[in-house]
Amino acid sequence: HVQLVESGGGSVQAGGSLRLSCAASGYTYSSYCMGWFRQAPGKEREGVAAIDSDGSTSYADSVKGRFTISQDNAKNTLYLQMNSLKPEDTAMYYCAADWRYCSSGGYCYSGCRPGSPVRDDFGYWGQGTQVTVS
């Protein structure tokens, strides 16, 4: 039973920083993709960043150069370091995980899909942590 628990959200002024954490348990796949998503009120959930079991990362254009995704395998914890925060970063942030993605042609591959993370690729989700930037 996979569990993902986010923490570290809060309120911060524009230009400030926050670090989100996601504690994972019950995940036994040796190859995986873990990602961060966010959802603002009235908007679709969007991919922010992803990292695979080899440590390869990808980011949405809107956060490149400001956010850094990382993982501590010994602690089974995923992180999102967010710097230079903007009011438009305000959202509920979710941690997600899965071990593969599938193409429209029906072929499936282990790890992360190239490019920004896609919501439909992830089957395991945390409950979210709120980030508010004013």
Side-chain angles (χ1 to χ4, degrees):
H1 177 62
V2 177
Q3 279 194 314
L4 304 172
V5 180
E6 303 96 334
S7 61
S11 297
V12 64
Q13 290 189 335
S17 298
L18 282 174
R19 189 177 80 157
L20 306 183
S21 299
C22 172
S25 61
Y27 202 81
T28 60
Y29 297 109
S30 59
S31 178
Y32 59 80
C33 181
M34 295 195 74
W36 287 100
F37 288 74
R38 66 186 181 186
Q39 188 167 16
K43 293 189 176 181
E44 295 289 321
R45 190 170 298 188
E46 64 172 350
V48 174
I51 187 167
D52 66 17
S53 48
D54 293 329
S56 296
T57 60
S58 63
Y59 297 91
D61 288 343
S62 58
V63 305
K64 280 181 182 175
R66 299 189 299 122
F67 291 10
T68 302
I69 189 171
S70 63
Q71 58 190 347
D72 185 332
N73 292 330
K75 295 182 179 180
N76 292 327
T77 301
L78 178 74
Y79 301 101
L80 185 68
Q81 178 67 44
M82 306 185 294
N83 298 329
S84 303
L85 282 161
K86 304 175 181 180
E88 51 263 44
D89 295 319
T90 295
M92 185 71 78
Y93 282 71
Y94 298 89
C95 171
D98 215 305
W99 67 279
R100 67 174 188 176
Y101 67 96
C102 299
S103 70
S104 58
Y107 295 98
C108 296
Y109 308 86
S110 61
C112 295
R113 180 189 300 271
S116 298
V118 173
R119 179 178 182 175
D120 288 346
D121 290 342
F122 294 83
Y124 303 103
W125 292 86
Q127 292 302 306
T129 185
Q130 178 68 37
V131 172
T132 302
V133 185
S134 59

mmCIF file of all heavy atoms in Angstrom, residues 69-115:
data_model
loop_
_atom_site.group_PDB
_atom_site.id
_atom_site.type_symbol
_atom_site.label_atom_id
_atom_site.label_comp_id
_atom_site.label_asym_id
_atom_site.label_seq_id
_atom_site.Cartn_x
_atom_site.Cartn_y
_atom_site.Cartn_z
ATOM 1 N N ILE A 69 13.928 19.844 -7.811
ATOM 2 C CA ILE A 69 13.410 18.591 -7.269
ATOM 3 C C ILE A 69 14.593 17.693 -6.915
ATOM 4 O O ILE A 69 15.602 17.657 -7.631
ATOM 5 C CB ILE A 69 12.463 17.897 -8.267
ATOM 6 C CG1 ILE A 69 11.755 16.703 -7.611
ATOM 7 C CG2 ILE A 69 13.190 17.483 -9.537
ATOM 8 C CD1 ILE A 69 10.639 16.115 -8.476
ATOM 9 N N SER A 70 14.485 16.996 -5.792
ATOM 10 C CA SER A 70 15.552 16.090 -5.379
ATOM 11 C C SER A 70 14.955 14.969 -4.542
ATOM 12 O O SER A 70 13.783 15.019 -4.171
ATOM 13 C CB SER A 70 16.628 16.835 -4.591
ATOM 14 O OG SER A 70 16.091 17.370 -3.398
ATOM 15 N N GLN A 71 15.773 13.975 -4.257
ATOM 16 C CA GLN A 71 15.280 12.854 -3.467
ATOM 17 C C GLN A 71 16.387 12.343 -2.558
ATOM 18 O O GLN A 71 17.571 12.438 -2.893
ATOM 19 C CB GLN A 71 14.785 11.724 -4.367
ATOM 20 C CG GLN A 71 15.826 11.183 -5.327
ATOM 21 C CD GLN A 71 15.227 10.246 -6.368
ATOM 22 O OE1 GLN A 71 14.082 9.808 -6.258
ATOM 23 N NE2 GLN A 71 16.002 9.937 -7.398
ATOM 24 N N ASP A 72 15.975 11.823 -1.428
ATOM 25 C CA ASP A 72 16.887 11.163 -0.497
ATOM 26 C C ASP A 72 16.409 9.723 -0.396
ATOM 27 O O ASP A 72 15.430 9.440 0.306
ATOM 28 C CB ASP A 72 16.860 11.863 0.862
ATOM 29 C CG ASP A 72 17.878 11.283 1.835
ATOM 30 O OD1 ASP A 72 18.212 10.081 1.709
ATOM 31 O OD2 ASP A 72 18.329 12.016 2.728
ATOM 32 N N ASN A 73 17.082 8.832 -1.115
ATOM 33 C CA ASN A 73 16.618 7.443 -1.166
ATOM 34 C C ASN A 73 16.709 6.762 0.196
ATOM 35 O O ASN A 73 15.902 5.896 0.519
ATOM 36 C CB ASN A 73 17.422 6.664 -2.198
ATOM 37 C CG ASN A 73 17.124 7.124 -3.615
ATOM 38 O OD1 ASN A 73 16.022 7.573 -3.908
ATOM 39 N ND2 ASN A 73 18.104 7.034 -4.489
ATOM 40 N N ALA A 74 17.679 7.157 0.999
ATOM 41 C CA ALA A 74 17.824 6.549 2.321
ATOM 42 C C ALA A 74 16.635 6.871 3.212
ATOM 43 O O ALA A 74 16.258 6.079 4.078
ATOM 44 C CB ALA A 74 19.119 7.014 2.977
ATOM 45 N N LYS A 75 16.052 8.037 2.990
ATOM 46 C CA LYS A 75 14.903 8.466 3.804
ATOM 47 C C LYS A 75 13.583 8.270 3.073
ATOM 48 O O LYS A 75 12.531 8.610 3.619
ATOM 49 C CB LYS A 75 15.061 9.940 4.180
ATOM 50 C CG LYS A 75 16.246 10.227 5.074
ATOM 51 C CD LYS A 75 16.305 11.709 5.435
ATOM 52 C CE LYS A 75 17.474 12.004 6.362
ATOM 53 N NZ LYS A 75 17.542 13.449 6.720
ATOM 54 N N ASN A 76 13.646 7.753 1.837
ATOM 55 C CA ASN A 76 12.420 7.607 1.024
ATOM 56 C C ASN A 76 11.631 8.912 0.982
ATOM 57 O O ASN A 76 10.405 8.926 1.174
ATOM 58 C CB ASN A 76 11.542 6.481 1.572
ATOM 59 C CG ASN A 76 12.176 5.119 1.391
ATOM 60 O OD1 ASN A 76 12.880 4.882 0.416
ATOM 61 N ND2 ASN A 76 11.948 4.230 2.344
ATOM 62 N N THR A 77 12.333 9.991 0.740
ATOM 63 C CA THR A 77 11.716 11.308 0.770
ATOM 64 C C THR A 77 12.041 12.077 -0.496
ATOM 65 O O THR A 77 13.181 12.076 -0.965
ATOM 66 C CB THR A 77 12.171 12.097 2.002
ATOM 67 O OG1 THR A 77 11.817 11.378 3.181
ATOM 68 C CG2 THR A 77 11.500 13.464 2.048
ATOM 69 N N LEU A 78 11.021 12.719 -1.029
ATOM 70 C CA LEU A 78 11.125 13.577 -2.192
ATOM 71 C C LEU A 78 11.048 15.020 -1.719
ATOM 72 O O LEU A 78 10.297 15.325 -0.776
ATOM 73 C CB LEU A 78 9.982 13.273 -3.159
ATOM 74 C CG LEU A 78 9.884 14.097 -4.433
ATOM 75 C CD1 LEU A 78 10.976 13.674 -5.410
ATOM 76 C CD2 LEU A 78 8.503 13.913 -5.069
ATOM 77 N N TYR A 79 11.808 15.900 -2.371
ATOM 78 C CA TYR A 79 11.809 17.311 -1.991
ATOM 79 C C TYR A 79 11.515 18.196 -3.190
ATOM 80 O O TYR A 79 11.774 17.827 -4.334
ATOM 81 C CB TYR A 79 13.171 17.711 -1.413
ATOM 82 C CG TYR A 79 13.592 16.918 -0.203
ATOM 83 C CD1 TYR A 79 14.507 15.878 -0.311
ATOM 84 C CD2 TYR A 79 13.064 17.213 1.047
ATOM 85 C CE1 TYR A 79 14.892 15.145 0.794
ATOM 86 C CE2 TYR A 79 13.451 16.487 2.169
ATOM 87 C CZ TYR A 79 14.361 15.450 2.033
ATOM 88 O OH TYR A 79 14.744 14.736 3.132
ATOM 89 N N LEU A 80 11.016 19.383 -2.883
ATOM 90 C CA LEU A 80 10.902 20.437 -3.885
ATOM 91 C C LEU A 80 11.358 21.725 -3.230
ATOM 92 O O LEU A 80 10.660 22.269 -2.379
ATOM 93 C CB LEU A 80 9.477 20.573 -4.409
ATOM 94 C CG LEU A 80 9.311 21.586 -5.547
ATOM 95 C CD1 LEU A 80 10.006 21.083 -6.815
ATOM 96 C CD2 LEU A 80 7.833 21.857 -5.836
ATOM 97 N N GLN A 81 12.538 22.180 -3.608
ATOM 98 C CA GLN A 81 13.048 23.463 -3.133
ATOM 99 C C GLN A 81 12.520 24.542 -4.052
ATOM 100 O O GLN A 81 12.765 24.505 -5.267
ATOM 101 C CB GLN A 81 14.574 23.460 -3.131
ATOM 102 C CG GLN A 81 15.184 24.786 -2.695
ATOM 103 C CD GLN A 81 14.916 25.103 -1.244
ATOM 104 O OE1 GLN A 81 15.028 24.249 -0.375
ATOM 105 N NE2 GLN A 81 14.551 26.355 -0.970
ATOM 106 N N MET A 82 11.808 25.504 -3.481
ATOM 107 C CA MET A 82 11.188 26.565 -4.261
ATOM 108 C C MET A 82 11.786 27.899 -3.853
ATOM 109 O O MET A 82 11.640 28.316 -2.697
ATOM 110 C CB MET A 82 9.671 26.569 -4.049
ATOM 111 C CG MET A 82 9.020 25.221 -4.332
ATOM 112 S SD MET A 82 7.220 25.282 -4.222
ATOM 113 C CE MET A 82 7.017 25.629 -2.482
ATOM 114 N N ASN A 83 12.465 28.548 -4.777
ATOM 115 C CA ASN A 83 13.073 29.848 -4.533
ATOM 116 C C ASN A 83 12.423 30.898 -5.413
ATOM 117 O O ASN A 83 11.731 30.572 -6.380
ATOM 118 C CB ASN A 83 14.567 29.784 -4.824
ATOM 119 C CG ASN A 83 15.312 28.808 -3.939
ATOM 120 O OD1 ASN A 83 14.944 28.582 -2.786
ATOM 121 N ND2 ASN A 83 16.364 28.211 -4.469
ATOM 122 N N SER A 84 12.659 32.144 -5.067
ATOM 123 C CA SER A 84 12.111 33.269 -5.854
ATOM 124 C C SER A 84 10.622 33.078 -6.126
ATOM 125 O O SER A 84 10.154 33.231 -7.258
ATOM 126 C CB SER A 84 12.877 33.415 -7.178
ATOM 127 O OG SER A 84 14.246 33.602 -6.948
ATOM 128 N N LEU A 85 9.900 32.768 -5.085
ATOM 129 C CA LEU A 85 8.479 32.474 -5.239
ATOM 130 C C LEU A 85 7.704 33.700 -5.690
ATOM 131 O O LEU A 85 8.022 34.841 -5.323
ATOM 132 C CB LEU A 85 7.912 31.936 -3.926
ATOM 133 C CG LEU A 85 8.262 30.462 -3.664
ATOM 134 C CD1 LEU A 85 8.080 30.126 -2.185
ATOM 135 C CD2 LEU A 85 7.415 29.549 -4.537
ATOM 136 N N LYS A 86 6.677 33.432 -6.500
ATOM 137 C CA LYS A 86 5.822 34.474 -7.046
ATOM 138 C C LYS A 86 4.383 34.216 -6.608
ATOM 139 O O LYS A 86 4.007 33.075 -6.328
ATOM 140 C CB LYS A 86 5.894 34.442 -8.575
ATOM 141 C CG LYS A 86 7.291 34.560 -9.146
ATOM 142 C CD LYS A 86 7.261 34.404 -10.665
ATOM 143 C CE LYS A 86 8.656 34.485 -11.270
ATOM 144 N NZ LYS A 86 8.629 34.330 -12.743
ATOM 145 N N PRO A 87 3.559 35.256 -6.604
ATOM 146 C CA PRO A 87 2.141 35.042 -6.246
ATOM 147 C C PRO A 87 1.477 33.985 -7.116
ATOM 148 O O PRO A 87 0.616 33.236 -6.626
ATOM 149 C CB PRO A 87 1.526 36.427 -6.457
ATOM 150 C CG PRO A 87 2.649 37.376 -6.191
ATOM 151 C CD PRO A 87 3.874 36.688 -6.744
ATOM 152 N N GLU A 88 1.882 33.870 -8.362
ATOM 153 C CA GLU A 88 1.271 32.872 -9.251
ATOM 154 C C GLU A 88 1.696 31.440 -8.916
ATOM 155 O O GLU A 88 1.174 30.484 -9.496
ATOM 156 C CB GLU A 88 1.585 33.171 -10.715
ATOM 157 C CG GLU A 88 3.047 33.398 -11.029
ATOM 158 C CD GLU A 88 3.403 34.877 -11.067
ATOM 159 O OE1 GLU A 88 2.954 35.632 -10.168
ATOM 160 O OE2 GLU A 88 4.157 35.265 -11.981
ATOM 161 N N ASP A 89 2.628 31.278 -7.979
ATOM 162 C CA ASP A 89 2.977 29.938 -7.500
ATOM 163 C C ASP A 89 2.014 29.447 -6.424
ATOM 164 O O ASP A 89 2.088 28.300 -5.995
ATOM 165 C CB ASP A 89 4.400 29.932 -6.932
ATOM 166 C CG ASP A 89 5.461 30.203 -7.979
ATOM 167 O OD1 ASP A 89 5.341 29.668 -9.101
ATOM 168 O OD2 ASP A 89 6.416 30.951 -7.671
ATOM 169 N N THR A 90 1.114 30.328 -5.991
ATOM 170 C CA THR A 90 0.145 29.949 -4.975
ATOM 171 C C THR A 90 -0.735 28.808 -5.479
ATOM 172 O O THR A 90 -1.344 28.908 -6.544
ATOM 173 C CB THR A 90 -0.733 31.153 -4.597
ATOM 174 O OG1 THR A 90 0.094 32.149 -3.979
ATOM 175 C CG2 THR A 90 -1.851 30.747 -3.647
ATOM 176 N N ALA A 91 -0.787 27.720 -4.720
ATOM 177 C CA ALA A 91 -1.543 26.537 -5.127
ATOM 178 C C ALA A 91 -1.443 25.473 -4.049
ATOM 179 O O ALA A 91 -0.628 25.581 -3.127
ATOM 180 C CB ALA A 91 -1.015 25.969 -6.439
ATOM 181 N N MET A 92 -2.256 24.440 -4.200
ATOM 182 C CA MET A 92 -2.060 23.223 -3.425
ATOM 183 C C MET A 92 -1.040 22.394 -4.198
ATOM 184 O O MET A 92 -1.201 22.173 -5.397
ATOM 185 C CB MET A 92 -3.367 22.453 -3.288
ATOM 186 C CG MET A 92 -3.275 21.228 -2.398
ATOM 187 S SD MET A 92 -3.106 21.648 -0.667
ATOM 188 C CE MET A 92 -4.814 22.060 -0.279
ATOM 189 N N TYR A 93 -0.021 21.930 -3.495
ATOM 190 C CA TYR A 93 1.038 21.149 -4.130
ATOM 191 C C TYR A 93 0.892 19.684 -3.731
ATOM 192 O O TYR A 93 0.747 19.360 -2.550
ATOM 193 C CB TYR A 93 2.403 21.672 -3.716
ATOM 194 C CG TYR A 93 2.796 22.927 -4.466
ATOM 195 C CD1 TYR A 93 2.155 24.134 -4.205
ATOM 196 C CD2 TYR A 93 3.771 22.905 -5.455
ATOM 197 C CE1 TYR A 93 2.480 25.284 -4.910
ATOM 198 C CE2 TYR A 93 4.117 24.052 -6.155
ATOM 199 C CZ TYR A 93 3.465 25.234 -5.877
ATOM 200 O OH TYR A 93 3.800 26.371 -6.576
ATOM 201 N N TYR A 94 0.961 18.823 -4.747
ATOM 202 C CA TYR A 94 0.780 17.396 -4.550
ATOM 203 C C TYR A 94 2.018 16.626 -4.978
ATOM 204 O O TYR A 94 2.635 16.931 -6.008
ATOM 205 C CB TYR A 94 -0.402 16.887 -5.373
ATOM 206 C CG TYR A 94 -1.726 17.486 -5.014
ATOM 207 C CD1 TYR A 94 -2.189 18.649 -5.618
ATOM 208 C CD2 TYR A 94 -2.540 16.886 -4.050
ATOM 209 C CE1 TYR A 94 -3.404 19.207 -5.290
ATOM 210 C CE2 TYR A 94 -3.770 17.432 -3.713
ATOM 211 C CZ TYR A 94 -4.195 18.593 -4.339
ATOM 212 O OH TYR A 94 -5.409 19.126 -4.009
ATOM 213 N N CYS A 95 2.322 15.603 -4.221
ATOM 214 C CA CYS A 95 3.358 14.644 -4.567
ATOM 215 C C CYS A 95 2.691 13.463 -5.273
ATOM 216 O O CYS A 95 1.576 13.065 -4.893
ATOM 217 C CB CYS A 95 4.039 14.206 -3.272
ATOM 218 S SG CYS A 95 5.197 12.839 -3.412
ATOM 219 N N ALA A 96 3.355 12.903 -6.272
ATOM 220 C CA ALA A 96 2.790 11.777 -7.011
ATOM 221 C C ALA A 96 3.888 10.787 -7.372
ATOM 222 O O ALA A 96 5.058 11.159 -7.475
ATOM 223 C CB ALA A 96 2.091 12.268 -8.274
ATOM 224 N N ALA A 97 3.492 9.543 -7.585
ATOM 225 C CA ALA A 97 4.461 8.501 -7.920
ATOM 226 C C ALA A 97 3.839 7.442 -8.813
ATOM 227 O O ALA A 97 2.623 7.206 -8.771
ATOM 228 C CB ALA A 97 5.010 7.861 -6.645
ATOM 229 N N ASP A 98 4.669 6.825 -9.599
ATOM 230 C CA ASP A 98 4.297 5.637 -10.360
ATOM 231 C C ASP A 98 5.577 5.036 -10.925
ATOM 232 O O ASP A 98 6.654 5.609 -10.758
ATOM 233 C CB ASP A 98 3.298 5.960 -11.466
ATOM 234 C CG ASP A 98 2.311 4.814 -11.643
ATOM 235 O OD1 ASP A 98 2.780 3.668 -11.855
ATOM 236 O OD2 ASP A 98 1.091 5.066 -11.553
ATOM 237 N N TRP A 99 5.457 3.912 -11.598
ATOM 238 C CA TRP A 99 6.671 3.256 -12.067
ATOM 239 C C TRP A 99 6.807 3.247 -13.574
ATOM 240 O O TRP A 99 7.845 2.865 -14.112
ATOM 241 C CB TRP A 99 6.740 1.831 -11.527
ATOM 242 C CG TRP A 99 5.697 0.919 -12.080
ATOM 243 C CD1 TRP A 99 4.404 0.816 -11.674
ATOM 244 C CD2 TRP A 99 5.849 -0.027 -13.117
ATOM 245 N NE1 TRP A 99 3.749 -0.125 -12.412
ATOM 246 C CE2 TRP A 99 4.615 -0.672 -13.305
ATOM 247 C CE3 TRP A 99 6.925 -0.399 -13.925
ATOM 248 C CZ2 TRP A 99 4.425 -1.646 -14.249
ATOM 249 C CZ3 TRP A 99 6.751 -1.388 -14.885
ATOM 250 C CH2 TRP A 99 5.494 -1.995 -15.036
ATOM 251 N N ARG A 100 5.761 3.719 -14.307
ATOM 252 C CA ARG A 100 5.875 3.697 -15.752
ATOM 253 C C ARG A 100 4.906 4.709 -16.350
ATOM 254 O O ARG A 100 4.021 5.235 -15.677
ATOM 255 C CB ARG A 100 5.543 2.307 -16.294
ATOM 256 C CG ARG A 100 4.093 1.919 -16.092
ATOM 257 C CD ARG A 100 3.763 0.612 -16.762
ATOM 258 N NE ARG A 100 2.329 0.336 -16.733
ATOM 259 C CZ ARG A 100 1.744 -0.686 -17.299
ATOM 260 N NH1 ARG A 100 2.481 -1.576 -17.952
ATOM 261 N NH2 ARG A 100 0.436 -0.864 -17.235
ATOM 262 N N TYR A 101 5.085 4.993 -17.625
ATOM 263 C CA TYR A 101 4.120 5.769 -18.386
ATOM 264 C C TYR A 101 3.895 5.042 -19.704
ATOM 265 O O TYR A 101 4.726 4.255 -20.150
ATOM 266 C CB TYR A 101 4.634 7.192 -18.624
ATOM 267 C CG TYR A 101 5.844 7.261 -19.534
ATOM 268 C CD1 TYR A 101 5.720 7.524 -20.887
ATOM 269 C CD2 TYR A 101 7.123 7.060 -19.019
ATOM 270 C CE1 TYR A 101 6.823 7.579 -21.712
ATOM 271 C CE2 TYR A 101 8.242 7.110 -19.835
ATOM 272 C CZ TYR A 101 8.083 7.375 -21.177
ATOM 273 O OH TYR A 101 9.191 7.424 -21.996
ATOM 274 N N CYS A 102 2.777 5.332 -20.317
ATOM 275 C CA CYS A 102 2.421 4.651 -21.571
ATOM 276 C C CYS A 102 2.149 5.683 -22.658
ATOM 277 O O CYS A 102 1.551 6.726 -22.400
ATOM 278 C CB CYS A 102 1.192 3.770 -21.365
ATOM 279 S SG CYS A 102 1.450 2.470 -20.139
ATOM 280 N N SER A 103 2.583 5.374 -23.848
ATOM 281 C CA SER A 103 2.352 6.265 -24.981
ATOM 282 C C SER A 103 0.950 6.074 -25.530
ATOM 283 O O SER A 103 0.248 5.117 -25.188
ATOM 284 C CB SER A 103 3.390 5.984 -26.069
ATOM 285 O OG SER A 103 3.123 4.709 -26.656
ATOM 286 N N SER A 104 0.553 6.971 -26.408
ATOM 287 C CA SER A 104 -0.768 6.846 -27.045
ATOM 288 C C SER A 104 -0.837 5.596 -27.910
ATOM 289 O O SER A 104 -1.918 5.089 -28.182
ATOM 290 C CB SER A 104 -1.064 8.084 -27.885
ATOM 291 O OG SER A 104 -0.052 8.268 -28.868
ATOM 292 N N GLY A 105 0.303 5.062 -28.310
ATOM 293 C CA GLY A 105 0.328 3.857 -29.102
ATOM 294 C C GLY A 105 0.236 2.586 -28.291
ATOM 295 O O GLY A 105 0.208 1.490 -28.844
ATOM 296 N N GLY A 106 0.199 2.743 -26.950
ATOM 297 C CA GLY A 106 0.029 1.583 -26.092
ATOM 298 C C GLY A 106 1.321 0.989 -25.575
ATOM 299 O O GLY A 106 1.308 -0.008 -24.857
ATOM 300 N N TYR A 107 2.454 1.578 -25.938
ATOM 301 C CA TYR A 107 3.732 1.098 -25.419
ATOM 302 C C TYR A 107 4.006 1.756 -24.078
ATOM 303 O O TYR A 107 3.774 2.946 -23.907
ATOM 304 C CB TYR A 107 4.870 1.408 -26.395
ATOM 305 C CG TYR A 107 4.747 0.669 -27.703
ATOM 306 C CD1 TYR A 107 4.192 1.285 -28.819
ATOM 307 C CD2 TYR A 107 5.168 -0.644 -27.810
ATOM 308 C CE1 TYR A 107 4.074 0.611 -30.023
ATOM 309 C CE2 TYR A 107 5.052 -1.330 -29.012
ATOM 310 C CZ TYR A 107 4.500 -0.703 -30.108
ATOM 311 O OH TYR A 107 4.377 -1.371 -31.295
ATOM 312 N N CYS A 108 4.510 0.974 -23.155
ATOM 313 C CA CYS A 108 4.769 1.488 -21.821
ATOM 314 C C CYS A 108 6.262 1.426 -21.507
ATOM 315 O O CYS A 108 6.957 0.497 -21.940
ATOM 316 C CB CYS A 108 3.983 0.691 -20.782
ATOM 317 S SG CYS A 108 2.193 0.857 -20.976
ATOM 318 N N TYR A 109 6.716 2.415 -20.746
ATOM 319 C CA TYR A 109 8.132 2.562 -20.452
ATOM 320 C C TYR A 109 8.294 2.847 -18.968
ATOM 321 O O TYR A 109 7.474 3.540 -18.362
ATOM 322 C CB TYR A 109 8.723 3.721 -21.247
ATOM 323 C CG TYR A 109 8.437 3.649 -22.729
ATOM 324 C CD1 TYR A 109 7.259 4.176 -23.256
ATOM 325 C CD2 TYR A 109 9.344 3.056 -23.608
ATOM 326 C CE1 TYR A 109 6.987 4.108 -24.611
ATOM 327 C CE2 TYR A 109 9.082 2.987 -24.962
ATOM 328 C CZ TYR A 109 7.893 3.510 -25.453
ATOM 329 O OH TYR A 109 7.624 3.428 -26.794
ATOM 330 N N SER A 110 9.362 2.338 -18.381
ATOM 331 C CA SER A 110 9.594 2.592 -16.972
ATOM 332 C C SER A 110 10.141 3.999 -16.776
ATOM 333 O O SER A 110 10.733 4.579 -17.676
ATOM 334 C CB SER A 110 10.567 1.563 -16.398
ATOM 335 O OG SER A 110 11.805 1.650 -17.054
ATOM 336 N N GLY A 111 9.924 4.566 -15.603
ATOM 337 C CA GLY A 111 10.451 5.876 -15.274
ATOM 338 C C GLY A 111 9.531 7.012 -15.684
ATOM 339 O O GLY A 111 8.312 6.848 -15.774
ATOM 340 N N CYS A 112 10.126 8.172 -15.953
ATOM 341 C CA CYS A 112 9.365 9.381 -16.243
ATOM 342 C C CYS A 112 9.230 9.620 -17.745
ATOM 343 O O CYS A 112 10.178 9.381 -18.500
ATOM 344 C CB CYS A 112 10.066 10.599 -15.638
ATOM 345 S SG CYS A 112 10.163 10.641 -13.840
ATOM 346 N N ARG A 113 8.086 10.151 -18.141
ATOM 347 C CA ARG A 113 7.897 10.593 -19.517
ATOM 348 C C ARG A 113 8.795 11.813 -19.738
ATOM 349 O O ARG A 113 8.877 12.687 -18.878
ATOM 350 C CB ARG A 113 6.442 11.000 -19.730
ATOM 351 C CG ARG A 113 6.124 11.489 -21.132
ATOM 352 C CD ARG A 113 4.718 12.064 -21.168
ATOM 353 N NE ARG A 113 3.712 11.096 -20.813
ATOM 354 C CZ ARG A 113 3.099 10.282 -21.671
ATOM 355 N NH1 ARG A 113 3.409 10.336 -22.960
ATOM 356 N NH2 ARG A 113 2.171 9.428 -21.251
ATOM 357 N N PRO A 114 9.463 11.914 -20.885
ATOM 358 C CA PRO A 114 10.268 13.119 -21.166
ATOM 359 C C PRO A 114 9.402 14.370 -21.134
ATOM 360 O O PRO A 114 8.247 14.348 -21.570
ATOM 361 C CB PRO A 114 10.811 12.842 -22.571
ATOM 362 C CG PRO A 114 10.808 11.364 -22.697
ATOM 363 C CD PRO A 114 9.603 10.889 -21.923
ATOM 364 N N GLY A 115 9.961 15.447 -20.620
ATOM 365 C CA GLY A 115 9.229 16.700 -20.563
ATOM 366 C C GLY A 115 8.526 16.878 -19.228
ATOM 367 O O GLY A 115 8.764 16.140 -18.269
#
